[in-house]
Amino acid sequence: MIKKGKFITFEGIDGAGKSSHIEEVISFLESKKIGVKRTREPGGTRLGEKLRDLLLHDEMDPETETLLMFAARCQHIAEVIRPALNDGMFVVSDRFTDATYAYQYGGKNVAYSKIEILEQWVHPDLKADLTLLFDLPVEISIERLSKNKILDKFEKESEPFFNRLRNVYLDIARQNPNRYKIINANQAIESVSRDVIEAVKNIL
Ligand code: TMP
């Protein structure tokens, strides 16, 4: 894959607060006159957003869920991510394939090897240049989520589920120290912002 732009992904357990920092990163990059495409998973395309609706609200077998995540991702890469990177833009995605390892393998016990096969099929040559992992204790994320009125299927999961997926994220981060930056999401919002922007500056 020809790739001229850079690919930044945001990850973390639900309630870690990553989404509120995406806007800051976009503004920072735009202030440096860098073209940015903001996107998210599951979703990012017309088809992907329809699949998102099913994935977040319909109960289904975890393997079906994994396949639909990758179906949405395949379309997302073809329609949005690859063209933007080839145009030299920075792509900032709220989640990508690490979320499938965390949620479907860590959370729901889908075989790791099956997810690896799908990753190899759908994007053998695409990896994020920087992944920001918003990390915080699960009790705090659950407390934050409890303030939301409407919770989706994943947000309603149990504490052990979130602990399992947090551990998978931390393992992936340890195995990929060059790509990953762990952000302590359990500190003042200004400090979180400072750490996020610092990490982005390091890949410019
Ligand atoms: P969001 O709430 O961060 O927008 O993400 C949507 C939900 O989808 C979130 O609970 C995590 C879940 N998800 C997976 O389970 N597997 C995946 O591969 C992705 C991208 C998201």
Side-chain angles (χ1 to χ4, degrees), residues 26 77 94 99 112 116 124 169 192 203:
I26 310 261
I77 293 168
D94 191 344
Y112 193 91
E116 275 182 323
Y169 270 134
V192 178
I203 63 154

Side-chain angles (χ1 to χ4, degrees), residues 167-185:
N167 288 334
V168 173
Y169 270 134
L170 290 171
D171 280 347
I172 302 175
R174 281 186 213 108
Q175 286 156 19
N176 296 274
N178 294 335
R179 167 166 75 94
Y180 255 83
K181 172 76 188 160
I182 300 175
I183 302 290
N184 174 7

Side-chain angles (χ1 to χ4, degrees), residues 36-168:
V36 192
K37 177 75 198 164
R38 176 184 179 160
T39 188
R40 68 172 180 179
E41 288 207 347
T45 64
R46 217 167 79 86
L47 175 70
E49 291 296 325
K50 288 187 183 171
L51 292 172
R52 179 186 176 92
D53 195 37
L54 291 173
L55 282 160
L56 266 53
H57 301 109
D58 286 38
E59 290 306 327
M60 60 184 79
D61 179 87
E63 293 201 340
T64 309
E65 193 172 277
T66 305
L67 290 164
L68 287 181
M69 288 291 177
F70 270 97
R73 183 162 298 136
C74 193
Q75 189 65 25
H76 190 206
I77 293 168
E79 205 178 307
V80 176
I81 300 178
R82 189 163 26 217
L85 290 174
N86 289 348
D87 268 358
M89 295 178 86
F90 273 48
V91 175
V92 177
S93 186
D94 191 344
R95 299 193 186 280
F96 193 59
T97 295
D98 295 333
T100 314
Y101 286 104
Y103 281 78
Q104 279 66 49
Y105 159 68
K108 302 201 176 177
N109 277 319
V110 173
Y112 193 91
S113 57
K114 290 185 177 169
I115 300 174
E116 275 182 323
I117 291 168
L118 290 171
E119 180 178 5
Q120 273 305 308
W121 178 9
V122 171
H123 59 94
D125 49 1
L126 176 66
K127 278 240 180 277
D129 296 285
L130 171 66
T131 298
L132 296 162
L133 173 60
F134 286 68
D135 183 58
L136 82 175
V138 166
E139 313 83 78
I140 296 172
S141 82
I142 289 178
E143 192 191 310
R144 287 188 189 172
L145 287 173
S146 69
K147 294 185 183 127
N148 296 357
K149 283 207 190 69
I150 303 167
L151 297 180
D152 67 39
K153 185 177 97 183
F154 295 100
E155 290 167 337
K156 284 184 197 143
E157 285 283 357
S158 64
E159 187 167 335
F161 175 90
F162 286 117
N163 267 316
R164 288 199 302 277
L165 66 95
R166 181 187 184 202
N167 288 334
V168 173

